[in-house]
Amino acid sequence: MAELGLNEHHQNEVINYMRFARSKRGLRLKTVDSCFQDLKESRLVEESFTVDEVSEVLSGLQAVVYSEVESELINTAHTNVLLLRQLFSQAEKWYLKLQTDISELENRELLEQVAEFEKAEFTSSNKKPIIDTMKPKLAPLNEGGTTELLNKEISRLQEENEKLKSRLKTIEMQATHALDEKSKLERALRDLQLDQGNQKDFIKAQDLSDLENTVAALKSEFQKTLNDKTENQKSLEENLATAKHDLLRVQEQLNMAEKELEKKFQQTAAYRNMKEILTRKNDQIKDLRRRLAKYESED
């Protein structure tokens, strides 16, 4: 049996369309036959005709046959458009763009292949029984999988967003605490300097030297502590800025994912791209968590 290079399901669809086309063609041919039969019965009642009468009869027959053939060709073209519309509608549900090659419609080799296929399918010896003459309408494609995946990604991004917000609050609290500690140390230093100034007049030179050494040591220790706090504060501020940037990027990706859900972006390619972005984002979040864990352990 001749083949068209299609899978079994699509080949059966082609056979169904051929069966429909053969039925319509048979009806039109019967209509043309009836035109000639009506002419024979209504006009050919005399034994001889003049040239003008024959010309008139043929002109009338020509008009009737022309109308029938034209009507069939128009109907066939419109039928093909409806068939293409069904295929394109299904493709658009997956954001696919189908293309056609009009020049292939006049390819004699392919046309002969289709003719052989039709002959093999519809000859009396090979004709297959019609299992179901009432074909169902094309059902819309199930898009639940795509929607569900996008919703899951959006939910996951929202959870990450909430975690980042919580982490941001924690970092802000730590930064505030560090600033408070810095203020306390500065006040303690000022108090110590005031006490040193008040006691200078009441202590001896040796005691003054010892006190100055002690103050210098305390001041050095304080300066070291203050520097450590300053570095920690800078680290916290950098982590805070990084967390804010990450939060903004995650929110931007969340907005992009929501827009993707509304547009139903091409499922496979869109999902892979989003997955790659989220993987990179997870790596960035893990890196941020490691840095924050390092700071908490040092603190």
Side-chain angles (χ1 to χ4, degrees):
M1 182 181 67
E3 297 291 341
L4 296 179
L6 302 174
N7 61 35
E8 182 179 359
H9 172 77
H10 289 159
Q11 187 158 298
N12 288 333
E13 292 295 322
V14 172
I15 293 172
N16 289 332
Y17 178 73
M18 283 186 169
R19 184 177 293 114
F20 166 77
R22 284 171 63 89
S23 174
K24 299 291 290 183
R25 185 168 66 241
L27 291 176
R28 286 300 179 183
L29 290 176
K30 289 180 179 179
T31 302
V32 173
D33 289 338
S34 67
C35 292
F36 282 88
Q37 187 63 34
D38 291 342
L39 177 64
K40 291 178 182 180
E41 294 177 356
S42 62
R43 300 297 301 274
L44 302 182
V45 294
E46 301 179 5
E47 294 182 357
S48 61
F49 294 89
T50 64
V51 174
D52 292 337
E53 289 175 339
V54 172
S55 177
E56 180 186 356
V57 170
L58 292 178
S59 296
L61 179 61
Q62 178 188 13
V64 174
V65 174
Y66 180 90
S67 176
E68 290 293 335
V69 173
E70 182 185 30
S71 176
E72 175 60 16
L73 291 175
I74 293 174
N75 183 70
T76 299
H78 293 173
T79 301
N80 290 335
V81 170
L82 291 179
L83 182 63
L84 289 172
R85 180 178 177 273
Q86 292 182 22
L87 297 177
F88 292 155
S89 296
Q90 277 196 337
E92 288 176 1
K93 290 182 181 295
W94 286 103
Y95 299 96
L96 300 178
K97 294 182 179 180
L98 303 183
Q99 293 181 343
T100 58
D101 188 354
I102 303 300
S103 63
E104 290 294 317
L105 298 179
E106 296 182 353
N107 188 318
R108 299 305 307 173
E109 182 180 352
L110 294 179
L111 290 174
E112 291 175 1
Q113 183 179 351
V114 173
E116 292 177 2
F117 177 79
E118 182 179 11
K119 182 179 179 181
E121 285 293 328
F122 293 98
T123 52
S124 58
S125 60
N126 296 328
K127 188 174 182 180
K128 299 179 181 179
I130 301 176
I131 298 176
D132 186 7
T133 57
M134 298 297 293
K135 296 297 294 179
K137 295 182 178 179
L138 289 176
L141 296 176
N142 182 14
E143 301 176 8
T146 305
T147 304
E148 183 178 357
L149 289 174
L150 288 174
N151 283 330
K152 286 182 178 180
E153 289 302 321
I154 290 174
S155 298
R156 196 179 68 80
L157 285 173
Q158 289 175 339
E159 291 178 0
E160 290 292 334
N161 189 18
E162 292 299 325
K163 290 179 180 179
L164 283 174
K165 286 182 179 179
S166 177
R167 194 61 185 173
L168 180 61
K169 290 181 179 179
T170 302
I171 293 173
E172 288 177 345
M173 292 176 62
Q174 291 175 348
T176 302
H177 179 71
L179 291 174
D180 292 340
E181 289 293 328
K182 179 181 177 182
S183 299
K184 290 179 180 178
L185 290 173
E186 289 176 347
R187 286 196 298 270
L189 178 60
R190 288 195 299 269
D191 293 341
L192 184 60
Q193 290 173 344
L194 290 174
D195 291 340
Q196 180 185 1
N198 294 331
Q199 293 177 4
K200 277 184 178 181
D201 297 334
F202 301 99
I203 59 177
K204 296 180 179 180
Q206 186 62 39
D207 292 337
L208 180 59
S209 178
D210 294 339
L211 183 58
E212 287 177 347
N213 292 334
T214 302
V215 170
L218 290 173
K219 187 175 182 180
S220 176
E221 182 179 357
F222 170 77
Q223 190 64 37
K224 181 180 178 181
T225 302
L226 185 60
N227 291 336
D228 292 338
K229 290 295 183 178
T230 302
E231 292 178 359
N232 291 335
Q233 179 184 357
K234 289 182 179 179
S235 176
L236 283 173
E237 290 175 349
E238 291 175 356
N239 292 335
L240 179 61
T242 302
K244 287 182 178 179
H245 290 316
D246 291 338
L247 176 60
L248 292 175
R249 284 196 292 270
V250 170
Q251 289 175 341
E252 183 179 358
Q253 292 176 359
L254 177 60
N255 293 331
M256 291 175 63
E258 290 175 348
K259 291 180 180 178
E260 197 68 17
L261 177 61
E262 294 174 356
K263 295 180 180 179
K264 292 185 178 178
F265 201 76
Q266 293 190 6
Q267 187 259 339
T268 55
Y271 181 76
R272 287 196 299 269
N273 292 334
M274 183 181 292
K275 197 69 176 178
E276 292 175 359
I277 293 173
L278 293 176
T279 301
R280 292 196 300 269
K281 185 54 57 185
N282 286 335
D283 293 339
Q284 294 176 358
I285 292 175
K286 289 178 181 179
D287 182 63
L288 176 61
R289 288 174 176 170
R290 285 195 296 268
R291 287 187 291 166
L292 291 174
K294 180 179 178 180
Y295 166 74
E296 291 175 352
S297 63
E298 293 177 354
D299 190 49

